[in-house]
Amino acid sequence: MSSPDVLNPIPLPNTVAAYWLSQLREKTPLIHCLTNQVVQNFTANVLLAIGASPAMVVAKQEAAEFSAIAGGLLVNVGTLNDIQIESMTLAVSAANVAGVPWVLDPVAVGGLAYRTDFCRDLLNLKPAAIRGNASEIMALAGFSSSGRGVDSADDSRAALPAAIRLAQRSGAVVAVTGEVDYVTDGKTCYALPFGDVLMTRVVGTGCALSAVVAAFIASGDENRLEQVATACMVMAICGGAAAMVSNGPGSFTPLFLDGLYNLQPQQLIGKTL
Amino acid sequence: MSSPDVLNPIPLPNTVAAYWLSQLREKTPLIHCLTNQVVQNFTANVLLAIGASPAMVVAKQEAAEFSAIAGGLLVNVGTLNDIQIESMTLAVSAANVAGVPWVLDPVAVGGLAYRTDFCRDLLNLKPAAIRGNASEIMALAGFSSSGRGVDSADDSRAALPAAIRLAQRSGAVVAVTGEVDYVTDGKTCYALPFGDVLMTRVVGTGCALSAVVAAFIASGDENRLEQVATACMVMAICGGAAAMVSNGPGSFTPLFLDGLYNLQPQQLIGKTL
Amino acid sequence: MSSPDVLNPIPLPNTVAAYWLSQLREKTPLIHCLTNQVVQNFTANVLLAIGASPAMVVAKQEAAEFSAIAGGLLVNVGTLNDIQIESMTLAVSAANVAGVPWVLDPVAVGGLAYRTDFCRDLLNLKPAAIRGNASEIMALAGFSSSGRGVDSADDSRAALPAAIRLAQRSGAVVAVTGEVDYVTDGKTCYALPFGDVLMTRVVGTGCALSAVVAAFIASGDENRLEQVATACMVMAICGGAAAMVSNGPGSFTPLFLDGLYNLQPQQLIGKTL
């Protein structure tokens, strides 16, 4: 049973977000990304813009060696195949041994048995955080959902009970993202209402957010719940600001990357929640 | 022997194009893309901009399952390898069983035996549409050509007889694209003269068009010839408009994606052919 | 022992750079890229913008056949795996037989044994040019370095002795890039001081430079040292110009590609070194 508190999401204090952004900027964490073929370039550019350092080291001969020296690891199953399963498993195991936090992005989990089974196996390997849309989080938590590929047919608010249960069972901080993002450790829940629907018309904004989550939790282990919420807030605020001045999804991308690059921690403090 | 009509390409009525664009917008088809490594991100963003929903599900364990529930399937052999051949074959077979139309993009077919043999095999699996440049269509039809990689050394008009024969033999609607695009089912041929040469300086415009062809034919099976022609028209008109206001291939891409996103069916009606 | 001259880098004469750019524009060389998953799209767009023609033909069944007809070949080990090692080895061997020059980009060599061993093996297959950051060039030359993934923890000037020795031993022209780029054949060294630090916040600028090196050396074999130096100069000048008018790494990319596309040889002559 969940406490009443976790079902009443609260805003993230702006000073908290500003603090974790300044920490990321100072530490420039190295993020090992084992992600899907479609979004690798955009993910790398988002990490570089926010102030982290991306690296995609994919071979089974190198993945474990590299994860152990990275600040954080991302595992995204969007274009999963047998070769990736081997590398991901090695990388996650090495990350766990080395104390490197890792993030699971369970793209399109639910409908497809192959990736769903793999992601359920990964849950036993203690992800520090999980980031998905409503359908993915519901499926991973064992709730019924209605996802269609990478789209979510469910509302993020409706997935909150699933997110809470998934956090409680896995020990991970869980972010379920949509019009409003919810981030919970199973006891507390933050609501981040800053995004824009235009972000759903640019491929990889969710996948890149998962990489940014890895960058924030790599910045220190004091408070992962706050760090994951900050990742969601920063991406959504920059996305909302870019959407406001763009003419569509094409002009959105350069504006979004510029915004991430230029964002100063103190600007977050000025922002009214 | 071809009838005289098919050798005299006609313009596509603007109202027809407007109708099929409005259908695509309403149905937001899910397009399964098995495409090359170079253009996956751009292809996904083009599909999202035009109003479709892209998904790249590549594993042999998932490709068939996913194709059967998609609205359309794209097979592009640009970076073909053994793993892709297995997934593509499974996906095409499942699409055929489920009645999902699929599009073949025979990138660089002709010079390289491996992909040429595979694409000839695929012709037996009844593609609903084929989209290529002049050299590719000529090679696939068994005519001699002078292609060099993904470039076409031949003019699209010169490939029209090959396109017609390929359509008649395969049963597919064939689009041969270049300065003017020609789209034929072997009986009728549309000419679409709207593109701009700047599009050849941006990688993936042809590959993305093939994905958009899949999106249009997924919107209903009433008239695939018109749907494929509409795909070519919409991409070329938006490309031409973006080229006119861009400073080069870098600024072209955001403008092109914004244009696809903002294009309204009624704007096509106002356009003089 | 190095002669005193090579340790005193000299500027590249602007007329020389202008000449090689005009040669590239005239010859539009076809560049076969076996590169990493992250930067394929950007690499292709950079090659198209500068006036070359990219092709990524990855299968072991096709790589050798295609390299033999290309103007130049790029081998970049950023996301190396067993499948790529096979294709790269076949492609390099075929290029050597056909007299096609090839470029090695030893991404992240040094820390990771798998790719380091492979790149050392490749050195025996006579690359025409090698392009890397300071850490990579030092590691490949057998000097100690402090690289971290694709970042360089070392200054390009500090890597000059390593670059010289690597050039002397391998017979390749070696470019070590950073705030200043140094290009040497072991006897002479050019210094190209035109870049901007913003380029390090966009993924693939170094990888794309390696592809552009392949394009310049494909334009003729009269003077590879000058050609590689021209590649570095052109990319750095266009990068610096784009950085000056951009608001961050997002707006940098379109401006950079436009700049490469619009650059005229005579503009290089007007530029003061």
Side-chain angles (χ1 to χ4, degrees):
Chain A
M1 290 262 295
S2 302
S3 71
D5 283 356
V6 70
L7 287 166
N8 289 305
I10 55 173
L12 180 70
N14 304 21
T15 47
V16 166
Y19 173 73
W20 289 116
L21 178 58
S22 66
Q23 286 291 298
L24 184 154
R25 289 276 163 77
E26 194 177 299
K27 298 188 179 175
T28 63
L30 177 61
I31 305 305
H32 185 193
C33 301
L34 294 174
T35 188
N36 72 70
Q37 301 165 9
V38 187
V39 304
Q40 297 208 68
N41 186 273
F42 183 64
T43 301
N45 277 328
V46 164
L47 285 173
L48 285 168
I50 195 75
S53 183
M56 282 69 171
V57 174
V58 303
K60 64 178 184 232
Q61 292 89 345
E62 299 184 329
E65 188 180 347
F66 198 75
S67 276
I69 60 160
L73 168 68
L74 168 68
V75 172
N76 172 307
V77 300
T79 53
L80 193 68
N81 62 24
D82 289 349
I83 294 172
Q84 270 201 316
I85 282 185
E86 190 174 359
S87 293
M88 287 171 172
T89 305
L90 290 164
V92 165
S93 300
N96 281 342
V97 169
V100 173
W102 69 279
V103 176
L104 175 62
D105 187 331
V107 179
V109 156
L112 298 160
Y114 176 68
R115 66 181 67 200
T116 304
D117 291 348
F118 179 61
C119 285
R120 292 211 171 118
D121 289 346
L122 285 178
L123 284 184
N124 297 321
L125 298 178
K126 300 190 188 306
I130 302 168
R131 203 288 316 166
N133 66 30
S135 297
E136 292 157 356
I137 295 301
M138 290 170 79
L140 199 57
F143 289 54
S144 65
S145 75
S146 43
R148 187 188 78 155
V150 295
D151 291 343
S152 182
D154 301 289
D155 184 72
S156 57
R157 188 66 178 84
L160 187 50
I164 293 165
R165 190 192 290 180
L166 184 60
Q168 291 170 343
R169 290 192 177 171
S170 68
V173 173
V174 175
V176 53
T177 57
E179 264 186 59
V180 178
D181 299 341
Y182 297 97
V183 179
T184 181
D185 61 358
K187 296 188 290 266
T188 303
C189 183
Y190 290 116
L192 296 310
F194 308 103
D196 189 286
V197 71
L198 186 59
M199 297 178 81
T200 65
R201 295 280 110 195
V202 176
V203 76
T205 50
C207 298
L209 170 53
S210 298
V212 170
V213 165
F216 273 98
I217 66 177
S219 302
D221 57 1
E222 293 91 344
N223 195 322
R224 280 184 188 156
L225 178 65
E226 288 177 2
Q227 291 166 337
V228 176
T230 300
C232 293
M233 183 199 264
V234 162
M235 289 285 278
I237 283 179
C238 289
M244 203 134 65
V245 291
S246 71
N247 297 316
S251 48
F252 172 86
T253 300
L255 289 162
F256 178 57
L257 291 170
D258 284 355
L260 289 170
Y261 179 76
N262 291 311
L263 182 68
Q264 298 304 320
Q266 58 269 30
Q267 290 178 280
L268 292 174
I269 297 175
K271 196 96 190 171
T272 309
L273 294 180
Chain B
M1 290 262 295
S2 302
S3 72
D5 282 357
V6 70
L7 287 167
N8 290 304
I10 53 173
L12 180 70
N14 304 22
T15 46
V16 166
Y19 173 73
W20 289 116
L21 178 59
S22 67
Q23 287 291 298
L24 185 153
R25 289 278 163 74
E26 194 178 298
K27 298 188 177 176
T28 64
L30 177 63
I31 305 305
H32 185 192
C33 301
L34 294 175
T35 189
N36 72 70
Q37 300 165 11
V38 187
V39 304
Q40 296 208 70
N41 186 274
F42 183 63
T43 301
N45 277 328
V46 164
L47 285 173
L48 286 167
I50 195 75
S53 183
M56 282 70 170
V57 174
V58 302
K60 63 178 184 230
Q61 293 87 347
E62 300 183 329
E65 187 181 349
F66 199 75
S67 276
I69 61 161
L73 167 68
L74 168 67
V75 172
N76 172 308
V77 300
T79 54
L80 193 69
N81 63 24
D82 290 349
I83 295 171
Q84 270 201 317
I85 282 185
E86 190 174 0
S87 293
M88 287 172 172
T89 306
L90 290 164
V92 165
S93 300
N96 281 342
V97 169
V100 173
W102 70 278
V103 176
L104 174 62
D105 188 330
V107 179
V109 157
L112 299 161
Y114 176 69
R115 66 182 66 200
T116 303
D117 291 347
F118 179 60
C119 285
R120 293 212 171 119
D121 288 347
L122 284 178
L123 284 184
N124 297 321
L125 298 178
K126 299 189 187 308
I130 301 168
R131 203 288 316 166
N133 65 30
S135 297
E136 293 157 355
I137 296 300
M138 290 170 80
L140 199 58
F143 288 54
S144 65
S145 76
S146 44
R148 187 187 78 157
V150 296
D151 290 342
S152 182
D154 302 289
D155 184 72
S156 57
R157 187 68 178 81
L160 186 51
I164 293 166
R165 189 193 291 179
L166 186 59
Q168 291 169 344
R169 290 192 178 170
S170 69
V173 173
V174 175
V176 53
T177 58
E179 263 186 61
V180 178
D181 298 341
Y182 298 96
V183 180
T184 182
D185 61 357
K187 295 189 291 267
T188 303
C189 182
Y190 290 116
L192 297 309
F194 309 103
D196 189 286
V197 71
L198 186 60
M199 297 178 81
T200 65
R201 294 280 112 194
V202 177
V203 77
T205 50
C207 298
L209 169 54
S210 298
V212 170
V213 166
F216 273 98
I217 65 177
S219 302
D221 58 1
E222 293 91 345
N223 195 321
R224 279 185 189 154
L225 178 65
E226 289 177 2
Q227 292 166 338
V228 176
T230 301
C232 292
M233 184 199 264
V234 163
M235 289 286 277
I237 283 178
C238 290
M244 203 135 64
V245 291
S246 71
N247 297 316
S251 48
F252 172 86
T253 301
L255 289 163
F256 179 57
L257 291 170
D258 284 357
L260 290 171
Y261 179 75
N262 291 312
L263 182 68
Q264 298 304 318
Q266 58 269 30
Q267 290 179 279
L268 292 174
I269 298 176
K271 196 96 189 170
T272 309
L273 295 180
Chain C
M1 289 259 298
S2 302
S3 71
D5 282 358
V6 69
L7 288 166
N8 289 304
I10 55 173
L12 179 69
N14 303 23
T15 46
V16 167
Y19 174 74
W20 289 116
L21 179 59
S22 67
Q23 287 292 298
L24 184 153
R25 289 278 161 77
E26 195 177 297
K27 298 188 178 175
T28 63
L30 176 63
I31 305 305
H32 185 192
C33 301
L34 294 175
T35 187
N36 72 70
Q37 301 165 11
V38 186
V39 304
Q40 297 208 67
N41 185 274
F42 183 64
T43 300
N45 277 328
V46 164
L47 286 172
L48 286 168
I50 195 75
S53 183
M56 282 69 171
V57 173
V58 302
K60 64 177 184 234
Q61 292 89 345
E62 300 184 328
E65 188 181 348
F66 198 76
S67 276
I69 62 161
L73 168 67
L74 168 68
V75 172
N76 172 308
V77 300
T79 54
L80 193 69
N81 62 24
D82 290 348
I83 295 172
Q84 271 201 316
I85 282 185
E86 190 175 359
S87 293
M88 287 171 173
T89 305
L90 290 165
V92 165
S93 301
N96 281 342
V97 169
V100 174
W102 69 280
V103 177
L104 174 62
D105 187 331
V107 180
V109 156
L112 298 160
Y114 176 68
R115 64 182 67 200
T116 303
D117 291 347
F118 179 61
C119 285
R120 293 212 171 118
D121 289 346
L122 284 178
L123 284 184
N124 298 320
L125 298 178
K126 299 190 188 305
I130 302 168
R131 202 290 314 164
N133 65 31
S135 297
E136 292 157 355
I137 295 300
M138 290 170 79
L140 199 58
F143 289 53
S144 66
S145 77
S146 44
R148 186 187 79 156
V150 296
D151 290 343
S152 181
D154 301 289
D155 184 72
S156 57
R157 188 68 178 80
L160 186 50
I164 293 166
R165 190 192 291 179
L166 185 59
Q168 291 170 343
R169 291 192 177 170
S170 68
V173 173
V174 175
V176 53
T177 58
E179 264 186 59
V180 178
D181 299 340
Y182 298 97
V183 179
T184 182
D185 60 358
K187 296 188 290 265
T188 303
C189 182
Y190 290 116
L192 297 309
F194 309 102
D196 189 286
V197 70
L198 186 59
M199 297 178 81
T200 65
R201 294 281 111 194
V202 177
V203 77
T205 51
C207 298
L209 169 54
S210 298
V212 170
V213 165
F216 274 98
I217 66 176
S219 302
D221 57 1
E222 294 92 343
N223 196 322
R224 279 185 188 154
L225 179 65
E226 289 178 2
Q227 291 166 338
V228 177
T230 301
C232 293
M233 184 200 265
V234 162
M235 289 286 278
I237 283 178
C238 290
M244 202 135 63
V245 291
S246 71
N247 298 315
S251 48
F252 172 86
T253 300
L255 289 163
F256 178 58
L257 291 170
D258 284 356
L260 290 171
Y261 178 76
N262 291 312
L263 181 68
Q264 297 305 319
Q266 58 269 30
Q267 289 178 281
L268 292 174
I269 297 176
K271 196 97 190 169
T272 309
L273 293 181

